[in-house]
Each structure stands twice: as structure tokens, then as C-alpha cells.
Amino acid sequence: MEISRSMAVAPWIAAVLLLAAVAGGLGFYLPGVTPSDFQKKDPLLVKVNKLTSTKTQLPYSYYSLPHCRPDSIVDSAENLGEVLRGDRIENSPYVFEMREPQMCQIVCKVTLSDKDAKGLKEKIEDEYRVNMILDNLPLVVPIKRLDQDTPTFYQHGFYIGAKGQAPGKKDVKYYIHNHLSFLVRYHKDMQMDLARIVGFEVKPFSVKHEYEGQWSGNKTRLSTCDPHARRSVVNSDAPQEVEANKDIIFTYDVEFQVSEVKWASRWDTYLLMADDQIHWFSIVNSLMIVLFLSGMVAMIMLRTLYRDISKYNQLETQEEAQEETGWKLVHGDVFRPPANSDLLCVYVGTGVQFFGMLLVTMIFAVLGFLSPSNRGGLMTAMLLLWVFMGLFAGYSSARLYKMFKGTEWKKITLRTAFTFPGIVFAIFFVLNALIWGEKSSGAVPFTTMFALVLLWFGISVPLVFVGSYLGFKKPAAEDPVKTNKIPRQIPEQAWYMNPIFSILIGGILPFGAVFIELFFILTSIWLHQFYYIFGFLFLVFLILIVTCAEITIVLCYFQLCSEDYLWWWRSYLTSGSSALYLFLYATFYFFTKLDITKPVSGILYFGYMLIASYAFFVLTGTIGFYACFWFTRLIYSSVKID
């Protein structure tokens, strides 16, 4: 299912369209993504996107290098997500005619200055790729694998150039890919003379073009590549070196090929992954963890708890009651408000906001509304949903705050609205300043930064206040048991019940349930690959929820049985500690999978992974807290207490 950019701006419209489609029982196209039908000789406009490198993670504008330029450069309209991703989509001098093959078309001749030559060499050294778009399809380079049984691998974009040593010489030379051999695949309508583009491929070559006589622009006849003599470029045996004050002639070929692939399936080959088995292994691995934990919880619930409750409810004499042991002993303290209860309310509310955003985003992604064909759609949807989920954040924090006998609901509302977004925005602002200092197109413009602040202050903060008002207005939840005035002394605990130890142990299993899928997510972000298997991701997300809930319940039960009633913060930190393992894994991934050498790029990586880990802490901590909250209320409401 294809996506338009406009869909990302209003995900709720997508829901209405989906319902309409289901009600109609018919196939449908979303507004703005109706396939483009081309007649023969119709112009095809190639657009250029940012230059990207997995070595620096800093995108640059296509025209920051001495490439051929059109008469006037026009920026394409971009959504919020595209701007934040550093996309810069502009027109190009490459113009094709549908189903009209072209050979050795001259684009322009460029004379390199010292600065141009230096910039090109730096970009070639850092392995930058050129990204182009035709009819919303990204340009790919087909790479045949040595094993012929495996499908062709598609590399997104082509390298600006290559470096190498001339035979018998030690100095390294840099060569630019100045001849592009394009292949446009199209699916033809059998009834009408119309065609739809279903593939856009390229093979780049480096050729030192030569010509006789005077340079006369596009009409110059090259001796290295001549359409009249049917002489085409098939290799890079005589490459074009990057040198100051030397001319580079840019040329291209276009070939059109009929394809059986239909327009609706044109992204399938781009998204083909040969490692589905690893994903299934990830799911099975996670399910085994869940089954193990479920068995533990079932044993506690059905056997131990049932026995405990039956025994407590059968105690009749005072002597028997005095001999009580276990979790019933702390019934007078278990619902005593914790230290720093205000901060706990803030983080629980933020976690609810994050949980709601992720859940709705994943549902839309699974339905196909946020596929990779919609550049920036996923990020735009997440930002907008985060803003609107402020309503639930305020409601959750205010409800918990009132249960803790809090009275200043406006103060807790402000902290909920500003704590998490404020910390993330501060880190993001510093990272953006570093990107801006590198003159990268990935730097978020001031106008976009202003739009983000406007979303935060203009929509999110008021919604948090509305949610808090509604939550605080409702009567506070009654505790199942009364709280004693004087706190009970907590007995000395065994070494394995030490808070730090149990918290760190609690985070291992939730992280273990997601770490394989995490590898693919990091690869898609930092190695510029498409991530589209949202069905797997949604399943792993559900497994994460169950794992966080169950491990927290198990450890909470052991804690209460050892007569330690300080469970509020520990329940949050038990599952939330999985964020620590996420950050450690991100560090491991950085040193084993990435080839980043520049300090700024390293700071960017760890800065963004710190934000991701912080968000993961808030999410998993809130899931664990609510699981433990439900569990304690359930067991203490099931026993008779005098």
C-alpha cells in the first residue's frame, strides 16, 4: 500500500479512509498517491535528495558539491519528518522522456576549483552516496551476490566516486563517477498506451571523456561515448580523476525496460530482506522468555498466592495472627506514598504519553499507512501523536498525585509537561548546534525549531493541563487497606534482595526480548536501510509489555514476602533498567558495526542513543509500575484484615 506525504500530517484521516475502504469492501488509493500514468515521450523529472554517508552520519545538500545544476533550483515541499531527517529534495538537470532511450547525453562540463576538488576528495574519502528520486521511487544500485541463488541486493544511492592507487604508484588518487547508466522499469497497461514506473536503477562509471574541436555544450561530440557511433560506456578503465583546474564532463544513458511488477508491488524488491529467519528467531526467543515468566507468574498467582490468601483468611486466634509472616505483615505500609512521589507521578504520566504514541503509531504502520515510501511520515506521525497524547499524560499523573494526597495539581502538571520534553529538547538543541557547525543539511532550520516549540507549548502543554484537570477532579482511588501512621521497620534483607541488584536483574529479560529486533532498527537508522517489518515490531512490542509486567510482578512479590514495602520506585526502576542494557548494546553496536571516526559523528550517535534509551526507560518503567500497582491492589484486596 503506498503512502502520500500528506497522510503523515493527519493520521486520524487515515483511520477514516481505512474504515471507508473496509465498509466498501473495495481496493482503494489514498489521496495524493494515485499512480502516475505516463504516455510515450512524457517528461520524467528526476529529483535529487541529500548526500549521505554511514561513516559520518552528516547529510549534505546535493548541490553542495560541483554537480551540474538546472537553470533554477526548486525545493520540493517537505513534511516535518523529512526536515528532521535532513532530507533536501530538489530538482535536477536530468530529464527523461518516457520509453525514449537515450545514449551518452551530455549534462554539463564543470571546471574544478581548488575548493571543489578538496570537497570532492573529502566526500569520496567518507564514502558519500548520491540519492535521487523518480516518481517517488529512490534510485538504487543493483549488486549481484556471488551466490547466484540469493536475490539481487539493492544499494540505496550510488557512491560519489572511488579512490585507488595507480599501478606502480603509492599515492592515492580520487575518481568521480561522472557517467550514469540509468534503467527505468515500467509496467505497461495492456489496454491503453500508458505505463507506470516500477523501478529506478543506475550503474555509475568514471570516464575521462574526450572530444575534438571546440566545446559546444550539449551538442559536443565525444570520442569516448558517442550515440551516433553506438559507442557506450561499459567500464571505468579510463577513469576521471579529481584534480583542481581540470574539466569534468557529466553524461548519462537511459534505458527503459518492461516489467511484470505491478505498481502496487513496486516497493517489494526494494524492501526484500533475506534475513526473515533471524526475525522469526527473535520472535521465538522472545516468546520463550515470556512463557518462562508466565509460568513463574502463574505459579505465584495460582499456587503460592492462593495458599497465602487461604491461610491468612483462616487465621482465627490472636496467637495465630501474631505468627503471621510474608506479605500480609506489611499491609499497613504497602500503600504509604513513596519518597519523591511527585517525580514518580511525572514519570508515570510521561510513560503513559509515550506508550500511547507508540501503540497508535505501530497500529498505523502495521496497516501500511507509514511505509518507507512516505519519507518522513513515521517521524511526523510520532511527533503529532506525542503532542496529542499529552492529554493522557496529564490525566495519569494527576490521578496518581491525588492518590498520594497531593493538592498542588498545577505544579505537577507543569512538571509533567516540561520534564521529559525539556531534557530531550536540550540534548537535541546541542546536537543540532554541532550539525549546524559542520554546515550539514541535517541541521534543523530555525523555522522548524520554532514549529516544534509551537507544537510543544501551543498544543501539548494545554492538553496536559486539560488531562490533569479531568484527572484531579475525579475522586481519588481508595486503597484496599488502611495505612498505619507509624512506618514499620524493614528487616535486614538478603543480599539478593538488595535494591540495586534486583533492579539490574529485572532489566535483563525485557531487554533480552527485544535485542535482536533492536539490531535491525539500529541498522535501518545508522546504515541508511529501510525498516518496514512493522508486523514483527508490533509483535515484539506486545512481548515487551508482557515481559516488563511479569518480571516486575515476580520481583515485587519476592520483595513484599521479605517484608520490604518500598515497592513504588523499585517497580518502576526494575523494568526501566532495561534502558541501561539498551544503551550498553548501542555502545557495542557502535564499536562493532559502524565505521565512524569523526568526533562530531560519534557525539551525534551517542546523543541520539541517549535520547532513545531515556525514552525506553520511561516506557518500560511505566509498564512495570502499572503491573505492580495492579498486582498489589489485587492481592491486598483479597485478604481479610482486621
Side-chain angles (χ1 to χ4, degrees):
M1 190 181 295
E2 299 294 326
I3 324 299
S4 72
R5 294 182 188 172
S6 58
M7 285 310 306
V9 181
W12 51 91
I13 298 176
V16 176
L17 289 165
L18 181 69
L19 289 172
V22 172
L26 300 171
F28 69 104
Y29 292 114
L30 300 177
V33 291
T34 305
S36 299
D37 292 307
F38 297 97
Q39 292 181 339
K40 195 170 183 179
K41 293 192 175 183
D42 276 355
L44 302 178
L45 306 179
V46 177
K47 295 183 179 180
V48 290
N49 200 347
K50 59 188 176 183
L51 306 172
T52 55
S53 166
T54 56
K55 290 184 72 172
T56 69
Q57 303 296 335
L58 293 167
Y60 285 91
S61 166
Y62 176 81
Y63 293 112
S64 63
L65 291 181
H67 286 125
C68 299
R69 294 168 175 258
D71 295 334
S72 61
I73 297 173
V74 181
D75 291 321
S76 296
E78 294 171 345
N79 59 41
L80 186 59
E82 284 179 299
V83 176
L84 292 176
R85 278 162 36 105
D87 283 349
R88 294 294 180 268
I89 301 173
E90 298 160 314
N91 61 329
S92 79
Y94 296 95
V95 180
F96 312 152
E97 290 185 348
M98 187 64 180
R99 288 152 56 194
E100 287 290 321
Q102 300 176 42
M103 183 186 289
C104 202
Q105 294 293 308
I106 297 173
V107 188
C108 74
K109 183 180 72 168
V110 174
T111 304
L112 296 183
S113 65
D114 289 336
K115 183 181 176 183
D116 291 337
K118 184 183 176 185
L120 270 174
K121 288 177 181 178
E122 285 177 356
K123 295 294 186 291
I124 293 171
E125 180 72 43
D126 291 332
E127 298 178 4
Y128 270 86
R129 297 181 195 170
V130 175
N131 295 284
M132 294 183 174
I133 302 165
L134 177 65
D135 191 35
N136 202 35
L137 268 185
L139 179 69
V140 291
V141 179
I143 300 173
K144 289 279 185 185
R145 298 186 180 179
L146 296 175
D147 181 4
Q148 294 299 318
D149 295 335
T150 55
T152 302
F153 169 71
Y154 290 98
Q155 172 191 290
H156 305 299
F158 64 91
Y159 289 111
I160 290 172
K163 64 176 184 175
Q165 291 175 312
K169 294 185 179 180
K170 289 185 178 180
D171 56 329
V172 175
K173 299 285 187 181
Y174 293 86
Y175 305 100
I176 188 171
H177 286 140
N178 59 325
H179 179 85
L180 305 178
S181 188
F182 293 106
L183 173 63
V184 178
R185 299 184 188 274
Y186 64 93
H187 182 79
K188 198 169 183 301
D189 191 319
M190 300 305 291
Q191 297 176 345
M192 294 183 286
D193 190 31
L194 296 173
R196 293 174 180 175
I197 294 170
V198 295
F200 187 33
E201 302 172 10
V202 72
K203 287 182 181 176
F205 298 99
S206 181
V207 183
K208 187 174 183 179
H209 284 303
E210 295 176 358
Y211 61 93
E212 295 175 0
Q214 289 188 332
W215 176 257
S216 54
N218 295 0
K219 296 177 182 178
T220 307
R221 193 162 177 175
L222 304 176
S223 55
T224 46
C225 169
D226 190 354
H228 303 288
R230 309 301 294 171
R231 189 185 302 121
S232 60
V233 176
V234 292
N235 57 50
S236 299
D237 289 346
Q240 173 67 59
E241 188 181 342
V242 175
E243 287 182 288
N245 303 315
K246 289 293 177 76
D247 293 339
I248 297 177
I249 299 170
F250 289 89
T251 56
Y252 69 94
D253 302 332
V254 188
E255 186 184 341
F256 291 86
Q257 194 175 91
V258 179
S259 173
E260 294 299 316
V261 176
K262 293 187 177 178
W263 186 87
S265 307
R266 65 180 186 162
W267 275 84
D268 292 358
T269 51
Y270 290 72
L271 305 178
L272 184 67
M273 297 185 78
D275 38 28
D276 281 343
Q277 288 182 339
I278 300 175
H279 284 280
W280 283 116
F281 172 74
S282 165
I283 299 295
V284 171
N285 166 64
S286 304
L287 284 173
M288 293 301 291
I289 292 172
V290 168
L291 287 172
F292 168 73
L293 281 173
S294 298
M296 291 274 289
V297 172
M299 186 177 72
I300 289 171
M301 291 289 194
L302 299 177
R303 293 188 59 190
T304 316
L305 266 177
Y306 180 75
R307 189 184 65 219
D308 288 351
I309 291 168
S310 299
K311 184 180 76 174
Y312 292 150
N313 288 341
Q314 286 169 6
L315 293 175
E316 293 178 357
T317 65
Q318 189 68 26
E319 290 78 13
E320 287 176 316
Q322 286 173 353
E323 292 172 11
E324 287 178 17
T325 57
W327 53 267
K328 189 184 176 185
L329 268 179
V330 294
H331 67 82
D333 298 276
V334 75
F335 292 107
R336 188 182 304 282
N340 297 314
S341 59
D342 290 9
L343 190 62
L344 181 64
C345 296
V346 168
Y347 273 97
V348 167
T350 304
V352 169
Q353 185 176 11
F354 208 80
F355 179 83
M357 176 199 74
L358 278 183
L359 185 65
V360 177
T361 302
M362 282 195 196
I363 289 171
F364 278 111
V366 168
L367 292 174
F369 288 110
L370 298 173
S371 83
S373 62
N374 180 19
R375 274 174 299 277
L378 186 67
M379 192 174 289
T380 307
M382 288 178 75
L383 274 171
L384 291 172
L385 285 168
W386 166 266
V387 166
F388 288 109
M389 288 294 166
L391 187 72
F392 298 98
Y395 182 84
S396 307
S397 61
R399 291 284 290 150
L400 193 61
Y401 182 68
K402 191 167 185 179
M403 201 185 82
F404 289 152
K405 308 292 187 292
T407 54
E408 299 178 4
W409 69 274
K410 291 179 182 176
K411 187 176 83 172
I412 207 75
T413 304
L414 281 172
R415 291 182 68 181
T416 305
F418 289 103
T419 302
F420 179 83
I423 293 170
V424 170
F425 191 82
I427 298 171
F428 175 71
F429 188 83
V430 172
L431 295 178
N432 193 62
L434 287 173
I435 300 171
W436 181 77
E438 292 290 315
K439 297 182 173 60
S440 167
S441 66
V444 176
F446 174 77
T447 50
T448 306
M449 198 75 82
F450 180 73
L452 290 174
V453 173
L454 200 63
L455 282 172
W456 180 13
F457 283 82
I459 301 176
S460 183
V461 174
L463 283 176
V464 173
F465 264 92
V466 171
S468 285
Y469 174 75
L470 295 173
F472 200 78
K473 201 168 72 166
K474 290 190 72 172
E478 291 292 327
D479 295 331
V481 290
K482 290 183 179 178
T483 301
N484 296 335
K485 290 184 179 178
I486 301 172
R488 179 189 179 88
Q489 188 172 356
I490 299 171
E492 190 175 343
Q493 300 292 302
W495 66 270
Y496 53 83
M497 289 308 296
N498 180 281
I500 296 175
F501 180 78
S502 64
I503 285 169
L504 290 176
I505 288 295
I508 293 174
L509 287 177
F511 171 74
V514 301
F515 88 96
I516 296 178
E517 203 61 33
L518 182 64
F519 169 80
F520 293 104
I521 294 171
L522 290 178
T523 300
S524 71
I525 295 171
W526 299 107
L527 295 181
H528 303 152
Q529 295 181 13
F530 286 128
Y531 186 90
Y532 72 101
I533 37 176
F534 295 110
F536 277 112
L537 186 62
F538 189 63
L539 196 53
V540 169
F541 181 61
L542 296 178
I543 290 170
L544 175 68
I545 294 170
V546 175
T547 310
C548 287
E550 290 182 343
I551 190 66
T552 312
I553 288 171
V554 169
L555 293 178
C556 183
Y557 174 76
F558 291 151
Q559 182 186 348
L560 294 175
C561 284
S562 62
E563 299 176 27
D564 182 354
Y565 53 83
L566 302 176
W567 63 272
W568 295 95
W569 269 110
R570 200 188 291 193
S571 66
Y572 196 99
L573 297 173
T574 295
S575 52
S577 65
S578 55
L580 174 64
Y581 297 103
L582 188 150
F583 190 77
L584 291 174
Y585 180 78
T587 306
F588 169 78
Y589 184 89
F590 178 85
F591 289 108
T592 58
K593 298 295 180 185
L594 299 180
D595 190 22
I596 292 176
T597 52
K598 291 190 176 182
V600 171
S601 303
I603 293 169
L604 283 179
Y605 177 85
F606 285 105
Y608 283 125
M609 290 316 301
L610 183 65
I611 292 174
S613 301
Y614 184 32
F616 195 70
F617 164 74
V618 169
L619 171 70
T620 52
T622 301
I623 294 168
F625 171 82
Y626 272 116
C628 205
F629 182 70
W630 166 81
F631 173 72
T632 50
R633 292 181 71 85
L634 179 70
I635 62 173
Y636 283 100
S637 61
S638 302
V639 293
K640 290 189 293 184
I641 294 169
D642 298 327

